[in-house]
């Protein structure tokens, strides 16, 4: 049986893969912050906005907490 958290993670992964900005905006908290491998910090608007420039070909989540 899939938990609610797993369903949300799957919905997030699918929205990210498809560059579905409406779904990403609905799934992410207003105070969302993304910290990249090199320490770059993006707020929700800037992180979601990056999908106007590119889309993933494939996506795999790992080490999810």
């Amino acid at each position: 049986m899939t938990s609610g958290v797993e369903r949300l993670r799957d919905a997030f992964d699918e929205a990210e893969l498809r560059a579905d900005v409406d779904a990403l905006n609905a799934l992410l908290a207003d105070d969302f912050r993304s910290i990249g491998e090199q320490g770059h910090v993006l707020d929700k608007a800037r992180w979601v906005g990056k999908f106007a420039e590119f889309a993933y070909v494939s996506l795999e989540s790992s080490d999810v907490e």
Side-chain angles (χ1 to χ4, degrees):
M1 176 176 260
T2 304
S3 73
V5 171
E6 290 169 326
R7 282 191 298 275
L8 285 171
R9 184 197 62 220
D10 292 345
F12 177 83
D13 287 349
E14 184 71 16
E16 190 176 16
L17 177 62
R18 304 219 180 280
D20 184 342
V21 296
D22 292 332
L24 290 168
N25 275 311
L27 288 163
L28 295 172
D30 290 338
D31 61 353
F32 170 85
R33 297 289 182 269
S34 173
I35 303 171
E37 291 179 7
Q38 297 179 359
H40 298 274
V41 179
L42 299 177
D43 64 10
K44 178 180 176 178
R46 289 179 58 207
W47 189 84
V48 171
K50 73 181 184 171
F51 290 98
E53 300 172 16
F54 79 95
Y56 292 109
V57 174
S58 66
L59 179 68
E60 181 179 332
S61 293
S62 63
D63 297 323
V64 177
E65 292 183 31

